[in-house]
Amino acid sequence: MSERLAGKVALITGGASGLGANAAELMVREGARVMLADINEEAGRALASGLGSSAAFVRLDVTSESQWQGAIAATVEGFGALHVLLNSAGIGLTKTVEDIELEEWRRVHAIDLDGVFLGCKHGVREIKKHTATLGGSIINISSISGIIAGANMAAYNSAKAGVRLLSKSVALHCAKSGYNIRCNSVHPTFIDTPILDRHRVRMGQDVMERKFSKQIPIGRLGRPSEVGWGIVYLASDESSFMTGAEMVIDGGISAM
């Protein structure tokens, strides 16, 4: 442990599993105190308990503005401040523009984009109160699919591309306002997390891995920690001159 995040308090959505859970573990290892937020209360509470006194859990449906306000208030009440917000909650959908039902389109955008908007809106309002000595950081998990489109990913492409430009707008707003808050987006490719479970169930683990690995120049799925350490960097003051930027962790896909 190098204490890269010593003194910082983070709120992580989607914190019960996948990239959010891995980021929570790494942040605690690096000295942060972390509030895990998720709709999966059982898994979230279990992870928080395993991380000890530096972690706690709050239930959060990211599509609810009142629950966002409650989660941020619980973080400040529990840990005394808020310096880092990681918007990691999200869902996937593999359908073409012709096949998507309107309700499916709205659900993907409600969770993957509206949830990030609400986090940024209320996160900025709170983080700016606590950055006199420690810099603030908002980290939004987008996707390589927010940069490169797929024929069968219309809703996901749209929502994740929205996260990319929203992050830039938030970054410019904070800089123009003189807040000591940075905002960046992270763009992973296929990472071996529960977001791939629907493909795992349909194809089986081995077939799923081979299918997706063929699309990645490095030749394999990504590991959560390969994204998680990038998130730690963005949360830390090591990245104090980085805002409005994309961190692309895609195994070389965007180089093709």
Side-chain angles (χ1 to χ4, degrees):
M1 185 171 69
S2 61
E3 296 288 319
R4 295 166 72 186
L5 301 179
K8 291 187 182 287
V9 175
L11 171 60
I12 299 177
T13 73
S17 64
L19 295 179
N22 177 259
E25 293 168 358
L26 296 180
M27 285 188 187
V28 168
R29 184 189 303 182
E30 293 299 320
R33 290 170 292 167
V34 174
M35 180 65 77
L36 301 169
D38 207 296
I39 59 172
N40 187 338
E41 294 190 48
E42 182 178 358
R45 293 188 189 282
L47 178 59
S49 177
L51 291 174
S53 60
S54 292
F57 174 81
V58 63
R59 190 186 188 283
L60 172 61
D61 174 350
V62 295
T63 68
S64 167
E65 186 161 20
S66 63
Q67 287 192 32
W68 261 111
Q69 292 169 309
I72 289 172
T75 303
V76 175
E77 181 179 351
F79 294 122
L82 178 62
H83 307 100
V84 178
L85 171 62
L86 172 60
N87 283 303
S88 184
I91 59 171
L93 181 68
T94 307
K95 282 193 175 184
T96 71
V97 69
E98 291 188 275
D99 296 331
I100 297 170
E101 299 293 336
L102 180 58
E103 286 308 308
E104 292 176 316
W105 173 272
R106 286 174 171 165
R107 182 168 183 264
V108 170
H109 283 79
I111 295 171
D112 290 0
L113 182 55
D114 296 352
V116 176
F117 153 69
L118 289 170
C120 290
K121 174 183 177 179
H122 294 287
V124 166
R125 288 178 174 178
E126 187 60 44
I127 293 170
K128 69 183 181 181
K129 302 174 186 176
H130 306 282
T131 57
T133 56
L134 294 174
S137 177
I138 296 176
I139 306 158
N140 296 326
I141 302 296
S142 177
S143 168
I144 194 60
S145 296
I147 299 174
I148 298 172
N152 63 345
M153 303 186 75
Y156 192 68
N157 284 151
S158 174
K160 291 300 188 178
V163 170
R164 175 176 175 265
L165 278 185
L166 171 62
S167 301
K168 293 178 182 297
S169 179
V170 172
L172 293 174
H173 166 67
C174 290
K176 184 176 181 180
S177 301
Y179 304 152
N180 188 15
I181 303 172
R182 297 170 293 103
C183 183
N184 297 285
S185 56
V186 180
H187 299 260
T189 186
F190 306 116
I191 307 297
D192 198 2
T193 67
I195 201 168
L196 296 181
D197 283 351
R198 68 190 191 281
H199 303 294
R200 243 185 286 270
V201 171
R202 182 166 56 88
M203 305 177 200
Q205 178 71 19
D206 292 343
V207 174
M208 184 273 292
E209 281 197 39
R210 287 197 300 271
K211 179 179 174 65
F212 288 119
S213 295
K214 286 179 181 178
Q215 302 176 54
I216 304 172
I218 281 181
R220 62 170 174 82
L221 297 177
R223 294 184 283 269
S225 63
E226 291 173 316
V227 180
W229 285 118
I231 291 169
V232 167
Y233 169 72
L234 291 176
S236 77
D237 289 338
E238 296 164 19
S239 57
S240 57
F241 200 57
M242 185 174 178
T243 194
E246 303 101 358
M247 177 177 279
V248 177
I249 307 174
D250 70 348
I253 287 179
S254 59
M256 296 171 66

